[in-house]
Amino acid sequence: MKTLADLKKIREKAQEEMKLRGGNTRIKIVVGMGTSGIAMGAREVMKTFLEEIANRNLTDVLVTQTGEKGLSSLEPVVDIIEEGKPKVTYGNMTPEKVKKVVVEHIVNGRIVSDYVVATGN
Amino acid sequence: MKFYRSHILVSINETSLAAGVQEFITALRNELAKNDLAEEINILETGPLGFFGRGICLTVYPENINYEGVKIEDIPELVQEHFLKGRPVKRLMVGVTEKFSPKFNYENRIVLRNSGIIDPENIDDYIGAGGYVALEKALTNMQPNDIIAEVKKSGLKGRGGAAFPAGLKWSFTSALDVPQKYVVVNADEGEPGTFKDRLIMEGDPHQLLEGIILCARAVGASKAYIYIRGEYKLCIARLEKAIKQAYDYGILGKNIFDSGFDLDIELKIGAGAYVCGEETALIESLEGNRGTPRWKPPFPGVEGLWKAPTIVNNVETLANVPFIIAKGADEFLQYGTPDCPGTKVYTILGDVAYPGLCEVDMGTTLRTIINDYAGGMKKGFRFKAALVGGAAGVILPDRLLDVKMDFTSLNQYSAVLGSGAILVLNEHQSIVDLLWSILRFFRHESCGKCSPCKNGTQQLYQLISKIRKGNGTMEDVNLMLLIAETMQQTSFCALGQSPIMAVRSAIENFTDEFIEITKK
């Protein structure tokens, strides 16, 4: 048995979950998943992002993948795209670096300049 | 909360079930697990996705990419290319392999707005999509009469074919002071070529439940039945699940959300008689009798199920109600035409490029529906005629392609919108054959209660069979018109009154074809 107040809570929670499916999110993380990206450990990078996001219960973040972008020597490459801000590209990513990027950049909005390989479009 | 980076929405409906979607999902899960993606990518089983696709259809979020006709053999490629590397497989995408890209009409939807987006088997999804907001509003801020006033203001007309204003129907029953009233949902969708109610129930069963609850609250009913077609196995399973979830949440049962309002909903499985789509025959069948129509008046709204006042509404009608109550009648009036507000769900079949369903504003022309939403005619074919409204419908020729599709406009051409089925024929199809098939159907489905229908449907079938074989004369053709007209005037219920529409429209719009075949 639920009350109307319970219903409201369920609605809010479900809305958050559904927002993720549709891609209406504040921040988008794009992991390069070309052949060389995967060879350099992009799968591990992707997984770490997902774990960190789940651990922190972030509901406004989207993780998706893309193909080669021509920065083979810098793989795994990750783009962070935020509405109204220039795109930030991180290179040579590792699971440890991912954890730092999540804490600093995704949560607190401070770009981790040590790992940045490019910015802008 | 589990975080998935991507969601694969798989459309589960009768078509995809036939194409083996269950095995497909198992294979897809295995392949995802093999590639260590099971924790990242979620598979959601949902209703119709809202595009005209064949076989197994998928929508992949967040990219919002639509696939159609996917087979088990395609899974490794899909997983390797798309789900692992993020490169959509173009050859399986909708509208990429063919030159035409169909419109995905998500913006103008009321009844199907959640279909293909939410998981129909999860009540939380429906709630998250704004479900049961109308219920909350109706129980806390509105009196039963306010609900009726809002529905009346919205101008909602019955979507089962007769187009009777829903609010007016409700007000008759609501005014009666009796201890027991009922709501009966007509989900016995028997009109040939119509399967809109199936898709509404498959895609969003809770929306129908909410509509029923609002209706019951408005008229003061404490018990509702969904009379559902027996072949709709998936709908039945989903509705049963939805009803159970609603009871668990206290949305159904005694004293709903402490409002003092009780409601129970029960499913009744139909046995496949066309006449049971007629409301009084449906009530007879619900009571456990043979499905034959009753005399009207008294109408069911006054004396229906077990002699108690009973509202009988079509699935689509009730599925519109949560939107009207939650968003207000004014919002609803933004859709459609002033005479017929709202949208209509159509099922399009026959020689079009993308057979399937669409929900469009009332008053959209047949040409737009065929060209924009069904991809136009199949390659290499020309439009000849469309049967609109199923067997109890009319055959429209190409000169009527620009007629607005709503109850009022079609009436001017003695046509009806009926149940919303559109069967498109190409130039090689014979109208005589089509009429033969319709009349054979009526002969089979006549319940035998009254003579005009029992004998008339038989006579019509014999005459059209004779004409079809090339043994008929124009006198036979005229005799068919006479019989059908007599049936229209004297038959007991709508079944016997209907064949005139197909007979007259076929003979009047395609006279040449009848002259040609009777000349031999």
Side-chain angles (χ1 to χ4, degrees):
Chain A
M1 278 303 175
K2 310 271 177 198
T3 62
L4 285 173
D6 292 337
L7 221 58
K8 197 166 271 172
K9 268 184 225 145
I10 294 168
R11 179 168 302 122
E12 278 159 13
K13 183 165 169 276
Q15 264 163 358
E16 289 294 331
E17 282 176 23
M18 282 156 68
K19 199 162 71 182
L20 288 174
R21 279 182 223 159
N24 295 323
T25 46
R26 173 178 67 91
I27 201 161
K28 194 167 151 190
I29 302 169
V30 186
V31 183
M33 279 279 183
T35 309
S36 52
I38 293 172
M40 295 298 287
R43 289 282 304 135
E44 291 308 311
V45 167
M46 164 82 86
K47 272 194 201 162
T48 314
F49 266 119
L50 296 175
E51 279 164 20
E52 288 296 302
I53 288 162
N55 289 344
R56 284 162 208 281
N57 257 328
L58 302 177
T59 58
D60 52 356
V61 183
L62 183 92
V63 183
T64 179
Q65 79 281 58
T66 184
E68 297 274 354
K69 62 191 304 172
L71 298 167
S72 300
S73 60
L74 298 171
E75 293 283 1
V77 170
V78 174
D79 288 335
I80 309 286
I81 301 164
E82 238 175 309
E83 184 92 12
K85 290 187 189 170
K87 180 167 82 181
V88 177
T89 306
Y90 291 112
N92 290 323
M93 291 302 281
T94 61
E96 278 61 47
K97 289 181 178 176
V98 167
K99 284 177 191 162
K100 189 155 182 198
V101 166
V102 171
V103 177
E104 292 288 320
H105 191 162
I106 309 294
V107 176
N108 292 318
R110 288 193 298 264
I111 296 170
V112 190
S113 47
D114 286 0
Y115 309 153
V116 173
V117 292
T119 54
N121 300 318
Chain B
M1 191 178 77
K2 185 91 189 77
F3 182 87
Y4 292 103
R5 67 176 167 88
S6 179
H7 297 264
I8 305 170
L9 272 58
V10 187
S11 171
I12 309 284
N13 54 45
E14 303 284 341
T15 328
S16 68
L17 283 172
V21 71
Q22 300 294 11
E23 296 80 36
F24 176 86
I25 290 175
T26 314
L28 184 58
R29 274 191 213 289
N30 291 341
E31 188 71 22
L32 287 176
K34 213 163 76 188
N35 285 280
D36 200 14
L37 292 166
E39 293 298 304
E40 298 171 24
I41 298 178
N42 187 22
I43 300 176
L44 269 170
E45 299 180 14
T46 181
L49 294 169
F51 59 91
F52 296 90
R54 303 188 181 98
I56 298 171
C57 297
L58 317 174
T59 293
V60 183
Y61 282 134
E63 303 98 319
N64 205 0
I65 283 168
N66 297 306
Y67 290 117
E68 73 161 336
V70 187
K71 297 197 174 59
I72 289 186
E73 304 89 87
D74 301 323
I75 290 177
E77 184 185 356
L78 266 179
V79 171
Q80 277 303 320
E81 288 298 307
H82 189 165
F83 304 135
L84 188 60
K85 296 180 181 168
R87 292 194 291 242
V89 181
K90 285 218 171 99
R91 68 178 177 86
L92 295 170
M93 273 161 69
V94 177
V96 172
T97 47
E98 310 225 1
K99 275 183 186 157
F100 169 79
S101 151
K103 271 189 195 171
F104 301 141
N105 61 325
Y106 280 113
E107 61 282 356
N108 269 7
R109 288 179 166 208
I110 294 176
V111 172
L112 293 171
R113 68 186 183 284
N114 294 329
S115 183
I117 293 167
I118 63 165
D119 177 357
E121 300 198 2
N122 185 350
I123 188 172
D124 289 359
D125 263 28
Y126 178 65
I127 293 171
Y132 294 116
V133 164
L135 173 71
E136 185 176 339
K137 205 169 152 188
L139 290 181
T140 51
N141 297 330
M142 293 171 97
Q143 290 302 314
N145 278 335
D146 300 335
I147 302 174
I148 294 181
E150 201 68 21
V151 174
K152 262 189 185 169
K153 189 177 162 201
S154 75
L156 175 68
K157 290 184 177 170
R159 299 289 197 250
F164 193 80
L168 194 61
K169 193 188 244 184
W170 295 9
S171 66
F172 296 149
T173 303
S174 138
L176 303 170
D177 186 20
V178 292
Q180 181 69 59
K181 296 176 193 174
Y182 296 103
V183 173
V184 173
V185 185
N186 187 348
D188 192 42
E189 193 170 42
E191 202 61 71
T194 311
F195 49 93
K196 64 173 177 73
D197 293 343
R198 192 191 91 206
L199 299 171
I200 294 168
M201 292 185 285
E202 275 172 12
D204 201 355
H206 280 286
Q207 183 178 228
L208 175 63
L209 295 190
E210 191 176 9
I212 298 169
I213 301 169
L214 292 168
C215 173
R217 171 71 172 166
V219 302
S222 59
K223 174 98 200 182
Y225 292 93
I226 304 174
Y227 188 96
I228 188 166
R229 186 175 167 155
E231 291 95 327
Y232 285 0
K233 300 269 184 272
L234 185 66
C235 288
I236 294 168
R238 288 204 166 148
L239 278 169
E240 275 171 352
K241 202 164 185 178
I243 290 171
K244 192 182 170 299
Q245 290 171 343
Y247 272 110
D248 289 347
Y249 273 36
I251 290 169
L252 286 175
K254 293 263 174 271
N255 195 13
I256 298 168
F257 296 128
D258 289 327
S259 62
F261 166 58
D262 309 334
L263 181 67
D264 289 307
I265 300 184
E266 214 176 283
L267 280 181
K268 159 83 184 148
I269 316 292
Y274 178 63
V275 74
C276 286
E278 201 280 337
E279 55 181 3
T280 59
L282 188 152
I283 287 171
E284 281 286 320
S285 169
L286 253 183
E287 291 181 359
N289 304 326
R290 188 167 186 266
T292 52
R294 286 180 189 173
W295 184 252
K296 289 195 271 193
F299 286 90
V302 179
E303 201 180 300
L305 189 61
W306 293 300
K307 303 232 170 200
T310 305
I311 293 286
V312 184
N313 269 145
N314 175 262
V315 170
E316 191 185 350
T317 317
L318 288 172
N320 270 295
V321 177
F323 180 91
I324 294 170
I325 300 301
K327 305 268 170 81
D330 290 327
E331 179 73 25
F332 188 77
L333 286 163
Q334 304 291 312
Y335 296 84
T337 64
D339 265 349
C340 302
T343 59
K344 182 81 190 76
V345 182
Y346 296 102
T347 48
I348 311 178
L349 306 164
D351 301 315
V352 291
Y354 290 89
L357 88 156
C358 67
E359 178 177 354
V360 294
D361 277 80
M362 279 279 184
T364 307
T365 64
L366 188 55
R367 189 187 297 276
T368 311
I369 292 171
I370 293 174
N371 285 344
D372 289 6
Y373 299 103
M377 294 298 290
K378 230 180 234 169
K379 217 173 163 187
F381 289 112
R382 222 155 41 82
F383 177 89
K384 176 179 182 179
L387 174 68
V388 176
V394 287
I395 303 166
L396 298 178
D398 53 359
R399 71 185 162 81
L400 292 179
L401 265 175
D402 288 312
V403 172
K404 283 186 173 172
M405 298 277 282
D406 61 62
F407 298 119
T408 328
S409 310
L410 281 170
N411 260 342
Q412 294 166 8
Y413 301 90
S414 359
V416 288
L417 198 54
S419 54
I422 301 173
L423 175 70
V424 178
L425 303 183
N426 70 42
E427 77 270 31
H428 304 301
Q429 308 272 16
S430 154
I431 296 295
V432 178
D433 281 355
L434 174 67
L435 191 59
W436 175 79
S437 146
I438 293 171
L439 294 175
R440 187 182 55 164
F441 174 79
F442 275 120
R443 184 192 66 149
H444 182 260
E445 292 294 346
S446 174
C447 80
K449 176 165 178 146
C450 70
S451 292
C453 177
K454 179 170 68 179
N455 299 329
T457 49
Q458 180 68 25
Q459 289 298 321
L460 285 175
Y461 174 69
Q462 305 256 323
L463 284 168
I464 192 72
S465 301
K466 187 177 158 197
I467 294 167
R468 184 165 171 254
K469 281 185 194 139
N471 302 330
T473 60
M474 274 317 271
E475 276 155 32
D476 291 329
V477 174
N478 290 328
L479 184 58
M480 281 179 67
L481 276 173
L482 183 67
I483 292 174
E485 264 165 30
T486 314
M487 287 168 68
Q488 184 193 20
Q489 287 157 9
T490 55
S491 288
F492 194 84
C493 82
L495 199 159
Q497 292 160 10
S498 296
I500 182 66
M501 290 190 284
V503 171
R504 188 193 285 138
S505 59
I507 295 173
E508 279 178 5
N509 294 327
F510 299 92
T511 319
D512 293 352
E513 215 166 300
F514 285 89
I515 293 175
E516 183 69 24
I517 200 161
T518 51
K519 242 195 287 187
K520 288 172 204 160

